[in-house]
Amino acid sequence: MINTNLAGKKNICLVGFMFSGKTSIGTMLAKSLKYKFIDTDFEIEKENYLRIRDIFDCFGEGLFRELEHKKIVEMCNKQKQILSIGGGAFCFDRNIEVIKEKCIVFYLNASFETIMSRTTEKGLEKRPLFNDLKKAEEMFKSRQKFYLKADFVINTDNKELKVVKKEIKNILKTLNKR
Ligand code: S3P
């Protein structure tokens, strides 16, 4: 049994760009660790009866970032959860602060080529900030400095999901032996 209550950190948070695999890896990890999987975007949609794209279109990114921050604070204060947060969330100091305080943070790193190869029509439809490819690539580059504030960087290029999951589990095991 993995005890992730390391230095008071009771949750695990997965960060990374859109299409980096946070939901897929998070779901698998939660199952295997018997933790609860939480996707903050999903929670925001459910609570507000609106899709993320509609929140962006009708109220703007500013309101979305407020809802996102509130949800992150709420979720971080629980325990035994795997949090998957939207690709922009870990780029704001107020989120980084609470997440780093309460979670062990893994950055699911992938090259922009890999990210591109993982896009689907349905996935793109859901993501208002991936409308323009050039802008998305610039955003990808400018966000790296924030993602690198994670506790661990996991490279996911050319790796199967189960391999990534295993790498994360191995790190958690090693941390527990300390
Ligand atoms: C965003 C990423 C999305 C979602 C919103 C904004 C971003 O989540 O939160 O569209 O700023 O990168 P995913 O990373 O799960 O796609």
Side-chain angles (χ1 to χ4, degrees), residues 125-140:
E125 160 61 26
K126 282 190 348 202
R127 293 170 171 89
L129 295 182
F130 215 114
N131 283 344
D132 179 311
L133 194 58
K134 206 165 177 315
K135 280 195 189 143
E137 189 168 11
E138 277 162 19
M139 191 182 279
F140 171 83

Side-chain angles (χ1 to χ4, degrees), residues 18 22 41 52 56 64-65 68 86-88 127-129 143:
M18 292 170 268
K22 294 169 300 219
D41 282 345
I52 298 297
F56 270 76
F64 171 73
R65 295 302 172 197
E68 182 176 58
R127 293 170 171 89
L129 295 182
R143 285 179 173 181

Side-chain angles (χ1 to χ4, degrees), residues 6-169:
L6 295 152
K9 293 185 176 182
K10 299 187 173 94
N11 301 304
I12 292 165
C13 183
L14 304 180
V15 305
F17 203 63
M18 292 170 268
F19 300 102
S20 59
K22 294 169 300 219
T23 304
S24 312
I25 307 281
T27 310
M28 289 170 70
L29 203 57
K31 209 169 165 198
S32 126
L33 295 177
K34 298 196 171 60
Y35 271 37
K36 186 164 186 224
F37 175 73
I38 302 284
D39 179 315
T40 53
D41 282 345
F42 177 76
E43 296 296 321
I44 292 168
E45 289 188 326
K46 201 172 66 176
E47 209 170 283
N48 296 283
Y49 305 101
L50 281 171
R51 296 177 314 158
I52 298 297
R53 176 173 282 282
D54 297 329
I55 299 177
F56 270 76
D57 289 349
C58 301
F59 305 102
E61 183 174 347
L63 179 80
F64 171 73
R65 295 302 172 197
E66 285 303 317
L67 297 172
E68 182 176 58
H69 175 66
K70 275 198 196 137
K71 192 46 74 184
I72 287 172
V73 172
E74 182 191 327
M75 291 306 160
C76 280
N77 280 311
K78 299 188 177 186
Q79 42 186 301
K80 285 200 158 203
Q81 298 185 107
I82 309 280
L83 297 181
S84 164
I85 60 171
F90 204 65
C91 304
F92 292 91
D93 288 341
R94 62 181 183 170
N95 294 336
I96 298 175
E97 205 175 299
V98 63
I99 292 167
K100 293 266 301 190
E101 189 194 330
K102 306 281 188 178
C103 311
I104 303 169
V105 189
F106 290 91
Y107 166 30
L108 301 184
N109 180 33
S111 67
F112 195 69
E113 288 66 38
T114 300
I115 296 284
M116 284 298 300
S117 74
R118 291 178 186 158
T119 60
T120 59
E121 210 175 304
K122 209 170 148 218
L124 288 171
E125 160 61 26
K126 282 190 348 202
R127 293 170 171 89
L129 295 182
F130 215 114
N131 283 344
D132 179 311
L133 194 58
K134 206 165 177 315
K135 280 195 189 143
E137 189 168 11
E138 277 162 19
M139 191 182 279
F140 171 83
K141 285 186 191 150
S142 68
R143 285 179 173 181
Q144 297 306 316
K145 61 176 183 293
F146 298 106
Y147 296 150
L148 291 172
K149 292 185 181 180
D151 299 309
F152 300 97
V153 179
I154 309 289
N155 187 19
T156 67
D157 283 327
N158 305 313
K159 279 185 197 155
E160 281 185 54
L161 295 175
K162 63 179 184 204
V163 175
V164 176
K165 181 194 80 175
K166 187 118 203 289
E167 275 184 38
I168 295 176
K169 282 188 76 176

